[in-house]
Tab-separated table of all heavy atoms in Angstrom:
chain	number	residue	atom	x	y	z
A	139	GLY	N	10.544	-7.453	8.080
A	139	GLY	CA	9.187	-7.011	7.774
A	139	GLY	C	8.732	-5.760	8.477
A	139	GLY	O	7.633	-5.274	8.216
A	141	ALA	N	9.064	-1.636	10.000
A	141	ALA	CA	9.180	-0.318	9.366
A	141	ALA	C	10.626	-0.004	8.992
A	141	ALA	O	10.889	0.563	7.924
A	141	ALA	CB	8.625	0.754	10.300
A	178	TYR	N	4.292	7.831	4.785
A	178	TYR	CA	3.500	6.681	5.212
A	178	TYR	C	4.226	5.900	6.298
A	178	TYR	O	3.652	5.566	7.339
A	178	TYR	CB	3.203	5.770	4.026
A	178	TYR	CG	2.237	4.658	4.371
A	178	TYR	CD1	0.863	4.856	4.294
A	178	TYR	CD2	2.692	3.418	4.802
A	178	TYR	CE1	-0.027	3.850	4.634
A	178	TYR	CE2	1.818	2.403	5.144
A	178	TYR	CZ	0.457	2.621	5.054
A	178	TYR	OH	-0.427	1.621	5.408
A	181	GLY	N	4.454	7.245	10.070
A	181	GLY	CA	3.334	7.137	11.003
A	181	GLY	C	2.773	5.756	11.181
A	181	GLY	O	1.811	5.562	11.942
A	182	ARG	N	3.334	4.743	10.500
A	182	ARG	CA	2.707	3.429	10.518
A	182	ARG	C	3.534	2.365	11.225
A	182	ARG	O	3.335	1.161	11.034
A	182	ARG	CB	2.438	3.003	9.081
A	182	ARG	CG	0.987	3.062	8.647
A	182	ARG	CD	0.232	4.283	9.029
A	182	ARG	NE	0.763	5.469	8.378
A	182	ARG	CZ	0.412	6.700	8.690
A	182	ARG	NH1	-0.441	6.931	9.658
A	182	ARG	NH2	0.933	7.729	8.064
A	183	GLU	N	4.447	2.752	12.074
A	183	GLU	CA	5.247	1.744	12.784
A	183	GLU	C	4.389	0.777	13.609
A	183	GLU	O	4.664	-0.424	13.631
A	183	GLU	CB	6.307	2.422	13.656
A	183	GLU	CG	7.408	3.073	12.824
A	183	GLU	CD	8.656	3.383	13.631
A	183	GLU	OE1	8.766	2.876	14.757
A	183	GLU	OE2	9.514	4.122	13.123
A	184	PRO	N	3.341	1.250	14.311
A	184	PRO	CA	2.496	0.294	15.043
A	184	PRO	C	1.847	-0.750	14.134
A	184	PRO	O	1.748	-1.924	14.498
A	184	PRO	CB	1.447	1.190	15.699
A	184	PRO	CG	2.117	2.519	15.836
A	184	PRO	CD	2.956	2.648	14.602
A	185	LEU	N	1.400	-0.326	12.958
A	185	LEU	CA	0.787	-1.262	12.007
A	185	LEU	C	1.796	-2.310	11.566
A	185	LEU	O	1.509	-3.520	11.580
A	185	LEU	CB	0.259	-0.496	10.796
A	185	LEU	CG	-0.137	-1.341	9.575
A	185	LEU	CD1	-1.288	-2.270	9.906
A	185	LEU	CD2	-0.487	-0.444	8.391
A	186	LEU	N	2.990	-1.885	11.168
A	186	LEU	CA	3.986	-2.823	10.671
A	186	LEU	C	4.502	-3.729	11.786
A	186	LEU	O	4.785	-4.917	11.551
A	186	LEU	CB	5.124	-2.060	10.009
A	186	LEU	CG	4.685	-1.312	8.728
A	186	LEU	CD1	5.750	-0.318	8.296
A	186	LEU	CD2	4.397	-2.302	7.613
A	187	ALA	N	4.597	-3.204	12.993
A	187	ALA	CA	4.993	-4.048	14.137
A	187	ALA	C	3.935	-5.114	14.405
A	187	ALA	O	4.257	-6.269	14.717
A	187	ALA	CB	5.200	-3.186	15.377
A	188	GLU	N	2.686	-4.734	14.261
A	188	GLU	CA	1.597	-5.696	14.451
A	188	GLU	C	1.645	-6.790	13.386
A	188	GLU	O	1.397	-7.965	13.679
A	188	GLU	CB	0.256	-4.964	14.393
A	188	GLU	CG	-0.955	-5.862	14.575
A	188	GLU	CD	-2.248	-5.081	14.430
A	188	GLU	OE1	-2.476	-4.158	15.241
A	188	GLU	OE2	-3.025	-5.373	13.503
A	189	ARG	N	1.963	-6.414	12.154
A	189	ARG	CA	2.075	-7.415	11.092
A	189	ARG	C	3.183	-8.425	11.413
A	189	ARG	O	3.033	-9.634	11.179
A	189	ARG	CB	2.370	-6.740	9.747
A	189	ARG	CG	1.330	-5.748	9.274
A	189	ARG	CD	0.054	-6.380	8.828
A	189	ARG	NE	0.214	-7.212	7.653
A	189	ARG	CZ	-0.793	-7.889	7.108
A	189	ARG	NH1	-2.003	-7.873	7.660
A	189	ARG	NH2	-0.602	-8.634	6.031
A	190	VAL	N	4.286	-7.927	11.958
A	190	VAL	CA	5.379	-8.820	12.354
A	190	VAL	C	4.920	-9.732	13.488
A	190	VAL	O	5.107	-10.957	13.443
A	190	VAL	CB	6.609	-8.004	12.785
A	190	VAL	CG1	7.659	-8.919	13.413
A	190	VAL	CG2	7.200	-7.251	11.602
A	191	ASP	N	4.290	-9.156	14.502
A	191	ASP	CA	3.898	-9.909	15.696
A	191	ASP	C	2.857	-10.980	15.393
A	191	ASP	O	2.786	-11.996	16.096
A	191	ASP	CB	3.356	-8.956	16.761
A	191	ASP	CG	4.434	-8.046	17.332
A	191	ASP	OD1	5.625	-8.354	17.146
A	191	ASP	OD2	4.082	-7.023	17.954
A	192	THR	N	2.030	-10.757	14.389
A	192	THR	CA	0.970	-11.714	14.062
A	192	THR	C	1.372	-12.709	12.977
A	192	THR	O	0.527	-13.436	12.447
A	192	THR	CB	-0.312	-10.971	13.637
A	192	THR	OG1	-0.003	-10.008	12.607
A	192	THR	CG2	-0.942	-10.252	14.820
A	230	ASP	N	6.352	-9.302	4.170
A	230	ASP	CA	4.940	-9.495	4.475
A	230	ASP	C	4.296	-10.226	3.302
A	230	ASP	O	4.530	-9.891	2.135
A	230	ASP	CB	4.287	-8.123	4.669
A	230	ASP	CG	2.890	-8.202	5.271
A	230	ASP	OD1	2.101	-9.065	4.841
A	230	ASP	OD2	2.589	-7.375	6.151
A	265	THR	N	-6.799	-8.827	7.786
A	265	THR	CA	-7.534	-7.604	8.123
A	265	THR	C	-6.700	-6.356	7.871
A	265	THR	O	-6.862	-5.348	8.541
A	265	THR	CB	-7.979	-7.631	9.601
A	265	THR	OG1	-6.822	-7.787	10.441
A	265	THR	CG2	-8.956	-8.755	9.859
A	266	TYR	N	-5.816	-6.402	6.900
A	266	TYR	CA	-4.948	-5.265	6.616
A	266	TYR	C	-5.767	-4.068	6.120
A	266	TYR	O	-6.801	-4.238	5.472
A	266	TYR	CB	-3.901	-5.644	5.586
A	266	TYR	CG	-4.459	-6.071	4.248
A	266	TYR	CD1	-4.841	-5.129	3.292
A	266	TYR	CD2	-4.597	-7.419	3.921
A	266	TYR	CE1	-5.354	-5.516	2.060
A	266	TYR	CE2	-5.105	-7.806	2.694
A	266	TYR	CZ	-5.485	-6.852	1.771
A	266	TYR	OH	-5.993	-7.234	0.556
A	267	PRO	N	-5.318	-2.847	6.398
A	267	PRO	CA	-5.976	-1.666	5.834
A	267	PRO	C	-5.633	-1.521	4.361
A	267	PRO	O	-4.541	-1.905	3.926
A	267	PRO	CB	-5.400	-0.510	6.654
A	267	PRO	CG	-4.044	-0.988	7.052
A	267	PRO	CD	-4.186	-2.476	7.283
A	269	SER	N	-4.743	0.997	2.795
A	269	SER	CA	-3.571	1.857	2.584
A	269	SER	C	-2.286	1.042	2.546
A	269	SER	O	-1.344	1.383	1.817
A	269	SER	CB	-3.478	2.911	3.698
A	269	SER	OG	-3.174	2.318	4.954
A	270	LEU	N	-2.218	-0.048	3.303
A	270	LEU	CA	-1.007	-0.871	3.307
A	270	LEU	C	-0.855	-1.608	1.979
A	270	LEU	O	0.256	-1.713	1.444
A	270	LEU	CB	-1.044	-1.864	4.470
A	270	LEU	CG	0.214	-2.727	4.651
A	270	LEU	CD1	1.438	-1.861	4.902
A	270	LEU	CD2	0.021	-3.736	5.783
A	271	ALA	N	-1.975	-2.099	1.441
A	271	ALA	CA	-1.919	-2.747	0.129
A	271	ALA	C	-1.436	-1.756	-0.923
A	271	ALA	O	-0.594	-2.086	-1.773
A	271	ALA	CB	-3.297	-3.295	-0.243
A	274	TYR	N	2.341	-1.246	-0.599
A	274	TYR	CA	3.155	-2.339	-1.136
A	274	TYR	C	3.104	-2.386	-2.665
A	274	TYR	O	4.120	-2.688	-3.309
A	274	TYR	CB	2.689	-3.671	-0.545
A	274	TYR	CG	3.190	-3.926	0.856
A	274	TYR	CD1	2.358	-4.438	1.840
A	274	TYR	CD2	4.518	-3.663	1.206
A	274	TYR	CE1	2.817	-4.677	3.128
A	274	TYR	CE2	4.991	-3.909	2.485
A	274	TYR	CZ	4.136	-4.420	3.445
A	274	TYR	OH	4.589	-4.660	4.712
A	322	VAL	N	-2.705	8.234	4.244
A	322	VAL	CA	-3.577	8.198	5.427
A	322	VAL	C	-4.032	9.615	5.740
A	322	VAL	O	-3.215	10.530	5.864
A	322	VAL	CB	-2.843	7.569	6.626
A	322	VAL	CG1	-3.729	7.581	7.867
A	322	VAL	CG2	-2.416	6.141	6.284
A	396	MET	N	-5.031	5.945	17.228
A	396	MET	CA	-4.808	4.504	17.106
A	396	MET	C	-5.140	4.018	15.698
A	396	MET	O	-4.389	3.249	15.089
A	396	MET	CB	-5.665	3.755	18.130
A	396	MET	CG	-5.524	2.244	18.068
A	396	MET	SD	-6.674	1.400	19.183
A	396	MET	CE	-8.244	1.771	18.375
A	397	LEU	N	-6.269	4.470	15.148
A	397	LEU	CA	-6.667	4.056	13.806
A	397	LEU	C	-5.709	4.569	12.743
A	397	LEU	O	-5.330	3.846	11.817
A	397	LEU	CB	-8.090	4.548	13.512
A	397	LEU	CG	-9.218	3.820	14.250
A	397	LEU	CD1	-10.514	4.612	14.148
A	397	LEU	CD2	-9.412	2.418	13.679
A	398	LEU	N	-5.306	5.832	12.868
A	398	LEU	CA	-4.372	6.412	11.893
A	398	LEU	C	-3.048	5.663	11.891
A	398	LEU	O	-2.464	5.404	10.835
A	398	LEU	CB	-4.144	7.892	12.210
A	398	LEU	CG	-5.356	8.822	12.033
A	398	LEU	CD1	-5.086	10.163	12.706
A	398	LEU	CD2	-5.684	9.014	10.559
A	399	ALA	N	-2.553	5.327	13.070
A	399	ALA	CA	-1.292	4.594	13.170
A	399	ALA	C	-1.397	3.212	12.534
A	399	ALA	O	-0.395	2.648	12.091
A	399	ALA	CB	-0.874	4.468	14.634
A	400	ARG	N	-2.620	2.678	12.470
A	400	ARG	CA	-2.855	1.373	11.837
A	400	ARG	C	-3.203	1.504	10.360
A	400	ARG	O	-3.606	0.546	9.710
A	400	ARG	CB	-3.976	0.620	12.558
A	400	ARG	CG	-3.615	0.130	13.940
A	400	ARG	CD	-4.560	-0.978	14.380
A	400	ARG	NE	-4.357	-2.202	13.623
A	400	ARG	CZ	-5.131	-2.629	12.622
A	400	ARG	NH1	-6.154	-1.904	12.203
A	400	ARG	NH2	-4.869	-3.760	12.013
A	401	GLY	N	-3.060	2.707	9.806
A	401	GLY	CA	-3.260	2.876	8.379
A	401	GLY	C	-4.680	3.151	7.951
A	401	GLY	O	-4.974	3.149	6.751
A	402	GLU	N	-5.581	3.397	8.897
A	402	GLU	CA	-6.972	3.720	8.566
A	402	GLU	C	-7.154	5.232	8.543
A	402	GLU	O	-6.750	5.930	9.475
A	402	GLU	CB	-7.932	3.118	9.600
A	402	GLU	CG	-7.887	1.606	9.718
A	402	GLU	CD	-8.587	0.901	8.567
A	402	GLU	OE1	-9.127	1.600	7.679
A	402	GLU	OE2	-8.590	-0.350	8.571
Side-chain angles (χ1 to χ4, degrees):
Y178 187 87
R182 254 45 65 191
E183 290 197 13
L185 167 63
L186 294 167
E188 180 183 298
R189 300 289 295 179
V190 171
D191 292 343
T192 51
D230 192 316
T265 58
Y266 61 82
S269 68
L270 184 60
Y274 281 137
V322 178
M396 179 186 68
L397 288 166
L398 294 166
R400 290 199 70 258
E402 300 284 359

